[in-house]
């Protein structure tokens, strides 16, 4: 467990917010689980909302790193994003996408937490765009948006079904998109 109060608070928030929801977890519970005192909490964060932002930024960095590393291990093929997701879906602690969950709970698009969660999605789309462009796909920006839609849908469906199958089904749809895109590019 981290020794610094800020790190312990963020780690507790990551676990509790992901497992139980942002609104369901109060500051008192965060203090108890993290072992950090109230004064120390407010020394590091002016509010629970600031802690939510820090937690979501950490989630963003970790997930994009895991995604990129997993895709690299699989030869940098764009469809590999769905294989990485399937692995995550099989985890016993899978509770969906922390960013999607946050956007649902923090529905106001002007709230800092909602904005950080939306930025995460934008950054993943940017990664997908680069991956698809590097693989030589025309219309890579459009395909990246379509991949993100499939990924988000697979995450929500995996949460409902409690299986990795949604990632495999999304991968099949993405493969069809790539094939259609390639056919259109050759015909044009």
């Amino acid at each position: 467990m981290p020794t610094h109060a800020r790190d312990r608070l963020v780690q507790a928030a990551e676990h509790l917010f992901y497992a139980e929801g942002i609104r369901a977890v109060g500051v008192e519970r965060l203090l108890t689980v993290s072992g950090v005192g109230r004064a120390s909490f407010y020394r590091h964060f002016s509010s629970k909302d600031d802690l939510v932002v820090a937690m979501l930024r950490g989630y963003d960095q970790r997930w994009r790193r895991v995604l990129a590393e997993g895709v690299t291990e699989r030869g940098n093929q764009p469809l590999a994003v769905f294989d990485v997701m399937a692995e995550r879906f099989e985890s016993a602690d899978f509770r969906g996408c922390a960013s999607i969950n946050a956007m649902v709970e923090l529905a106001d698009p002007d709230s800092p937490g909602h904005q950080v969660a939306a930025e995460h999605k934008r950054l993943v789309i940017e990664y997908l765009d680069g991956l698809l462009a590097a693989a030589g796909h025309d219309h890579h920006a459009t395909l990246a948006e379509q991949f993100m839609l499939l990924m988000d849908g697979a995450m929500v469906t995996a949460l409902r079904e409690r299986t990795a199958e949604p990632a495999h089904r999304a991968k099949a749809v993405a493969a069809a998109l790539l094939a259609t895109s390639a056919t259109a590019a050759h015909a044009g």
Side-chain angles (χ1 to χ4, degrees):
M1 178 168 221
T3 56
H4 293 81
R6 185 182 193 289
D7 295 338
R8 291 195 328 256
L9 285 163
V10 172
Q11 185 179 50
E14 288 171 358
H15 172 73
L16 293 171
F17 292 162
Y18 186 69
E20 300 173 23
I22 294 168
R23 294 186 189 269
V25 177
V27 171
E28 288 303 319
R29 180 102 184 280
L30 288 163
L31 297 177
T32 300
V33 170
S34 68
V36 173
R38 183 174 297 282
S40 187
F41 175 92
Y42 287 107
R43 196 172 318 125
H44 296 287
F45 301 100
S46 62
S47 66
K48 179 180 163 185
D49 290 340
D50 287 345
L51 178 57
V52 168
V53 166
M55 180 275 301
L56 287 170
R57 283 190 176 132
Y59 166 79
D60 164 61
Q61 292 168 356
R62 275 188 313 285
W63 173 240
R64 287 188 299 118
R65 184 183 67 243
V66 165
L67 185 61
E69 288 172 357
V71 169
T72 298
E73 290 170 5
R74 292 166 174 85
N76 286 318
Q77 296 302 310
L79 293 175
V81 298
F82 299 99
D83 299 325
V84 175
M85 292 177 66
E87 284 181 4
R88 179 67 184 120
F89 296 171
E90 291 172 342
S91 175
D93 68 343
F94 178 70
R95 290 257 308 122
C97 170
S99 289
I100 291 173
N101 297 349
M103 284 188 279
V104 169
E105 285 197 72
L106 311 170
D108 177 2
D110 293 327
S111 75
H114 188 101
Q115 290 178 351
V116 170
E119 175 70 3
H120 165 71
K121 294 300 180 180
R122 189 191 66 72
L123 291 169
V124 172
I125 292 168
E126 192 175 283
Y127 166 73
L128 294 168
D129 183 39
L131 187 64
L132 289 155
H137 294 282
D138 291 333
H139 311 292
H140 47 84
T142 299
L143 287 167
E145 293 279 352
Q146 293 169 334
F147 269 46
M148 187 79 261
L149 182 65
L150 291 169
M151 292 167 70
D152 284 348
M155 282 192 210
V156 173
T157 304
L159 186 58
R160 184 184 78 236
E161 293 180 2
R162 295 308 211 189
T163 176
E165 243 340 276
H168 303 302
R169 293 192 305 261
K171 182 178 181 179
V173 174
L177 286 171
L178 293 180
T180 300
S181 178
T183 302
H186 293 318

